[in-house]
Amino acid sequence: MADKLGFGVDIGGSGVKGAPVDLHRGKLADDRYRVPTPVPATPDAVAEVVREVLDHFGWRDPFGCTFPAVVQHGVVRTAANVDPSWIGTDGQKLLENVTGRPALLVNDADAAGVAEVRFGAAREHDGVVLVSTLGTGIGSALVTGGHLVPNTELGHLELDGHDAESRAADSARDRDELSWSDWAARLTRYYQHVESLFWPDLIVVGGGVSKHSDKWLHLVETRTEMVPAQLLNNAGIVGTAVLAAEHNHKKHHKH
Ligand code: BGC
């Protein structure tokens, strides 16, 4: 049974959350454990918290971890909404050193995208699927035929002279006190731009606000079918656990 369990950690702006994951069903195998993100959220401080989350469950095996920025082969490359000291940090190696377990560090939206394609709103879709997360920023995951193109960063497309996420993320709705319909108008501009560049077959919209998609999703006008994400809060944890298990399996078979 043990080989069917993985472990995922989700590093967010306010909390670091983790849980063991049933890799076949794409569900958490236990309640998730959350520790507030340290302030300042420097690499060393955050890595300590990740260790605390693993220790809480006594998890000793390989694990996956999400990060809300570009993560290229374990190295954090951007810091739109995170502490700038992460830029250039080999976050994956740091996590391995601090926790003493093999780790895989991936972009948060990429992890969520993998979870939605494997287990959620785009289950077994073999076309071009764009998973878009609306939160503090806008995250994106582009998956085709089950394969992920990592770090697409479509939240940072330029829109009307602005970084798109600064206009259309859920945090912009809050900041500018937008009604659902005013926000949906911004999302329409954004997603029409995205679909004219990538021509996805399906757009899955995630992030906390996708829980209330009945209030605004039908107001967003796109030619592409748009559906709410299904794994909600747990998509990152599930996706990164799955990716970590596969990564470890591959590594194992190389040697
Ligand atoms: C970051 C992405 C991240 C997204 C959602 C953006 O600001 O650049 O890497 O996926 O926020 O957290």
Side-chain angles (χ1 to χ4, degrees):
M1 286 305 277
D3 58 345
K4 292 181 186 159
L5 275 190
F7 199 96
V9 180
D10 188 16
I11 299 176
S14 56
V16 177
K17 297 135 278 183
V21 173
D22 178 329
L23 297 173
H24 290 325
R25 293 169 57 234
K27 292 202 176 349
L28 303 196
D30 201 342
D31 290 343
R32 49 190 225 164
Y33 181 67
R34 178 183 188 278
V35 178
T37 304
V39 183
T42 56
D44 289 339
V46 171
E48 277 303 329
V49 170
V50 171
R51 183 162 63 109
E52 194 181 326
V53 170
L54 296 174
D55 285 350
H56 174 83
F57 294 94
W59 187 264
R60 305 252 151 268
D61 296 327
F63 70 100
C65 189
T66 74
F67 196 72
V70 170
V71 184
Q72 198 177 28
H73 310 294
V75 180
V76 175
R77 298 292 188 191
T78 63
N81 299 302
V82 300
D83 195 280
S85 59
W86 279 91
I87 293 182
T89 301
D90 190 331
Q92 185 167 301
K93 201 176 274 168
L94 174 69
L95 289 177
E96 295 197 330
N97 290 342
V98 171
T99 67
R101 292 100 162 160
L104 181 74
L105 188 66
V106 295
N107 172 263
D108 56 353
D110 283 345
V114 166
E116 291 296 336
V117 170
R118 299 287 173 88
F119 305 107
R123 194 171 33 241
E124 285 164 25
H125 197 296
D126 58 6
V128 176
V129 178
L130 175 70
V131 180
S132 175
T133 63
L134 301 170
T136 308
I138 297 182
S140 61
L142 193 63
V143 182
T144 174
H147 293 283
L148 170 73
V149 180
N151 296 308
T152 44
E153 293 293 313
L154 302 187
H156 298 297
L157 285 174
E158 186 185 313
L159 198 63
D160 302 329
H162 298 272
D163 189 17
E165 72 175 18
S166 73
R167 303 279 300 154
D170 194 34
S171 58
R173 180 180 67 84
D174 263 358
R175 183 196 58 217
D176 297 344
E177 297 178 3
L178 301 179
S179 65
W180 292 116
S181 73
D182 286 346
W183 185 48
R186 291 192 186 182
L187 290 174
T188 294
R189 291 268 312 133
Y190 174 63
Y191 285 116
Q192 286 187 355
H193 187 46
V194 168
E195 68 182 351
S196 70
L197 295 173
F198 292 91
W199 291 86
D201 295 304
L202 178 69
I203 299 177
V204 177
V205 188
V209 72
S210 62
K211 253 184 269 177
H212 312 292
S213 63
D214 54 318
K215 297 207 165 67
W216 55 272
L217 195 55
H218 63 285
L219 302 171
V220 182
E221 291 165 33
T222 54
R223 68 167 85 80
T224 312
E225 184 191 356
M226 282 181 94
V227 295
Q230 286 177 2
L231 280 88
L232 302 175
N233 283 339
N234 296 330
I237 293 177
V238 169
T240 196
V242 167
L243 287 169
E246 289 174 359
H247 176 77
N248 206 56
H249 184 76
K250 269 194 218 141
K251 230 170 47 183
H252 217 72
H253 284 261
K254 261 195 206 156
H255 300 299

